[in-house]
Amino acid sequence: MIPRPTSADPEFFRKLKVLVVDDSAEMRRLLAAPLESMGVEQVVEARDGLKGLDAFIEHKPDIIITDGAMQPMDGYEMTQRVRAAGAADGANPDVPILMISGHIERENVVHARDQGVTDYLPKPLSASVLYEAIVAAVSKPIHFVETPGYRGPSPKRHLAARGIDDTAR
């Protein structure tokens, strides 16, 4: 289970296991660097959603940070499969999933949310935004729902924090 942080608790980050999924080795390196500076000692990397799904089951991360657009499996499908996995081999299907993308159009954000993404972060991403997103993802309980064809955070949660007007949905 994810330890709950208290303000800037270095022990929290030291114990955190983070899975970073991105098809760009450079982007994986750029995400791992601030994680390590936060004190995260366990960073697992995968180059696409398929490898990310395998790493999710093998390493049982406390949080997943993924890109959206990858081949052969993108971050959206990987998220949907993680949420549908159930407690596969002890891996937590309710694990917080942060999606990082340069595609910040409303339809992309809504699609990510509909697949079960916990938070959608626009590129370029600063270390402080990443820090705040991690703390928020593990500190603030998110209501999970399960319906035929969907398992994940409540699709009705408010996206205004990311500048997305979801009232038209």
Side-chain angles (χ1 to χ4, degrees), residues 1-148:
M1 200 75 207
I2 300 170
R4 299 291 179 218
T6 58
S7 63
D9 180 4
E11 193 64 18
F12 161 74
F13 285 99
R14 189 182 67 71
K15 293 178 180 176
L16 198 63
K17 185 184 299 182
V18 180
L19 171 59
V20 175
V21 185
D22 199 296
D23 56 350
S24 164
E26 179 67 11
M27 191 63 194
R28 289 192 308 269
R29 187 186 65 74
L30 288 171
L31 287 168
L35 290 170
E36 290 167 1
S37 72
M38 290 174 206
V40 176
E41 294 179 357
Q42 300 177 75
V43 178
V44 177
E45 296 182 12
R47 68 174 181 257
D48 61 56
L50 195 56
K51 299 286 185 198
L53 193 57
D54 291 342
F56 162 71
I57 292 167
E58 179 181 346
H59 296 282
K60 300 163 189 57
D62 298 308
I63 193 164
I64 298 173
I65 301 172
T66 185
D67 186 23
M70 297 177 285
Q71 293 292 331
M73 181 189 293
D74 63 24
Y76 301 95
E77 183 177 351
M78 181 194 73
T79 297
Q80 188 275 329
R81 289 188 182 195
V82 163
R83 297 295 185 225
D89 298 319
N92 178 11
D94 297 340
V95 62
I97 301 175
L98 306 178
M99 184 169 283
I100 299 171
S101 180
H103 304 282
I104 58 169
E105 299 80 16
R106 180 182 185 280
E107 60 271 11
N108 294 66
V109 178
V110 170
H111 179 59
R113 180 202 56 198
D114 290 348
Q115 299 309 304
V117 167
T118 307
D119 201 354
Y120 195 89
L121 307 170
K123 289 180 182 176
L125 181 67
S126 70
S128 63
V129 168
L130 180 61
Y131 172 87
E132 290 171 15
I134 290 170
V135 170
V138 299
S139 298
K140 299 174 184 170
I142 293 178
H143 177 68
F144 275 75
V145 296
E146 191 162 351
T147 62

